[in-house]
Amino acid sequence: MDLQEFNSAPAGRLRPMLAACCDVPRWVDGILAGRPYGDVVALTQAADGGVRELDDKEVDQALAAHPRIGDRPEGAATEAAWSRNEQAGVGDDSETRAALAAGNREYEQRFGRVFLICATGLSAQEMLTSLRERLTHDEAAEATVVRDELRKIALLRLAKVVERDAADKEARA
């Protein structure tokens, strides 16, 4: 959808799309309350600021909506489709998938949350390298990285919300 449509769409239509970007009601409500946005930059800045303001409980809530790296989310829900696309670089190599699964388990035992990385454009090896490196972080350093990865994912997905329908309209024209 284009920005004009985003600004005028009923909140009920936008709410699930925004939750697929960052599944935190306060963040979704903040984006909706900030309408109308003068341009996409203003929308992106509001979304970015909103993610940066999430408290630890909200970050955990947002993480709960993300599958493990290497898992293939099932279903037709927007966030499942986006996740499959974002993790396309994982591929089908069984050795790498097994290493990612083992790393995920180790990460979850160490930090008590799912390993989150903005996987778009990354190869499986790059994800695995990042996972292994992040296992060396202390809790504070890793919490900072997680917040930044969550922010990158939310903004990437928000761009899909605003652009998706516009691309569909161009294809129909």
Side-chain angles (χ1 to χ4, degrees), residues 106-128:
E106 185 178 350
Y107 183 94
E108 289 172 20
Q109 288 172 350
R110 175 148 166 57
F111 294 109
R113 63 180 164 260
V114 68
F115 170 71
L116 184 74
I117 187 168
C118 184
T120 299
L122 298 180
S123 70
Q125 194 56 53
E126 288 169 318
M127 291 178 232
L128 187 56

Side-chain angles (χ1 to χ4, degrees), residues 131-150:
L131 172 57
R132 289 176 175 156
E133 188 267 324
R134 287 172 54 188
L135 281 165
T136 68
H137 290 174
D138 63 26
E139 179 62 40
E142 183 57 18
T144 299
V145 173
V146 167
R147 286 176 175 279
D148 191 51
E149 295 297 313
L150 180 63

Side-chain angles (χ1 to χ4, degrees), residues 6-168:
F6 181 88
N7 282 332
S8 62
R13 177 175 170 222
L14 293 178
R15 190 170 297 283
M17 289 186 242
L18 292 172
C21 299
C22 182
D23 196 6
V24 177
R26 184 169 67 97
W27 182 84
V28 171
D29 292 343
I31 299 301
L32 291 171
R35 295 185 304 164
Y37 295 95
D39 55 36
V40 174
V41 171
L43 170 59
T44 302
Q45 288 173 337
D48 184 32
V51 172
R52 290 175 191 274
E53 293 174 5
L54 298 179
D55 63 32
D56 292 342
K57 184 178 177 182
E58 290 169 321
V59 169
D60 289 342
Q61 181 179 355
L63 291 176
H66 288 271
R68 289 178 182 91
I69 291 295
D71 285 357
R72 295 181 188 214
E74 301 285 327
T78 300
E79 56 268 51
W82 284 347
S83 184
R84 284 190 299 271
N85 185 281
E86 292 160 0
Q87 291 194 40
V90 171
D92 292 324
D93 177 63
S94 59
E95 196 172 303
T96 303
R97 291 182 81 76
L100 282 168
N104 279 326
R105 286 189 299 274
E106 185 178 350
Y107 183 94
E108 289 172 20
Q109 288 172 350
R110 175 148 166 57
F111 294 109
R113 63 180 164 260
V114 68
F115 170 71
L116 184 74
I117 187 168
C118 184
T120 299
L122 298 180
S123 70
Q125 194 56 53
E126 288 169 318
M127 291 178 232
L128 187 56
T129 298
S130 181
L131 172 57
R132 289 176 175 156
E133 188 267 324
R134 287 172 54 188
L135 281 165
T136 68
H137 290 174
D138 63 26
E139 179 62 40
E142 183 57 18
T144 299
V145 173
V146 167
R147 286 176 175 279
D148 191 51
E149 295 297 313
L150 180 63
R151 182 187 63 77
K152 288 190 278 187
I153 293 166
L155 297 179
L156 182 89
R157 290 180 173 187
L158 181 61
K160 292 176 185 178
V161 169
V162 176
E163 297 170 354
R164 183 182 57 201
D165 288 349
D168 291 345

